């Protein structure tokens, strides 16, 4: 009879271990991912600093106010952005001509009328010019480690 109890205990132990492993896979692994691996990390921070250091972001067009730099990272998709926002009320054509000249001088390649590309820190970065809209102009560089296409 003792053998039956030991067998039952052993079966119960194996069942508990199996359920525990299944619970870890279903609950623990995703929870661990979100606690320890999810979102932007040191690699994205470093890429953001490199992008923010691109001098084209500070190439203020004539007639623009002082620039307000910004930098960030999207935790879901891990794309990194660095840019400068300017108060500006002039025509779009002069802004595009200004940034085309500034970007080409720094090794950027034209991808579209308002978008340029350049290899930075092992990935392709994209410089875009948005606006002027409602008296504001944004010049922004976006990149990710997956080498996505932004324009």
């Amino acid at each position: 009879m003792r053998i039956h109890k030991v067998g039952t205990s052993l079966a119960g132990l194996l069942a508990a271990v199996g359920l525990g492993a299944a619970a870890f896979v279903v609950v623990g692994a995703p929870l661990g991912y979100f606690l320890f691996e999810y979102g932007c990390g040191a690699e994205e921070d470093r890429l953001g600093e490199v992008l923010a250091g691109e001098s084209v972001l500070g190439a203020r067009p004539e007639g623009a106010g002082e620039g307000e730099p910004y930098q960030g990272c999207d935790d879901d998709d891990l794309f990194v952005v660095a840019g400068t926002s300017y108060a500006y009320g002039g025509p779009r054509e002069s802004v595009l001509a200004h940034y085309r000249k500034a970007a080409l001088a720094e090794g950027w390649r034209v991808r579209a009328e308002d978008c340029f590309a350049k290899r930075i820190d092992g990935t392709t970065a994209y410089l875009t010019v948005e606006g002027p809209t409602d008296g504001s102009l944004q010049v922004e560089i976006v990149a990710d480690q997956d080498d996505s296409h932004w324009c």
Side-chain angles (χ1 to χ4, degrees), residues 47 77-80 122-124 142-150:
L47 178 58
D77 298 322
L78 301 181
F79 67 83
V80 178
T123 190
T124 302
V142 65
D144 60 32
Q145 299 298 338
D146 290 336
D147 217 6
S148 298
H149 297 278
W150 292 89

Side-chain angles (χ1 to χ4, degrees), residues 41-57:
E43 195 171 331
E44 288 78 23
D45 289 344
R46 186 181 54 70
L47 178 58
E49 290 298 321
V50 171
L51 297 181
E54 284 290 308
S55 60
V56 72
L57 294 177

Side-chain angles (χ1 to χ4, degrees), residues 61-112:
E62 188 175 323
E66 276 302 309
E68 288 186 41
Y70 59 90
Q71 185 177 331
C73 179
D74 180 89
D75 282 324
D76 291 332
D77 298 322
L78 301 181
F79 67 83
V80 178
V81 63
T84 305
S85 180
Y86 295 99
Y88 182 78
R92 179 163 172 78
E93 295 76 26
S94 64
V95 167
L96 292 176
H98 170 79
Y99 280 105
R100 177 179 293 263
K101 182 177 178 182
L104 292 174
E106 294 185 29
W108 292 86
R109 297 177 324 274
V110 177
R111 293 288 304 243

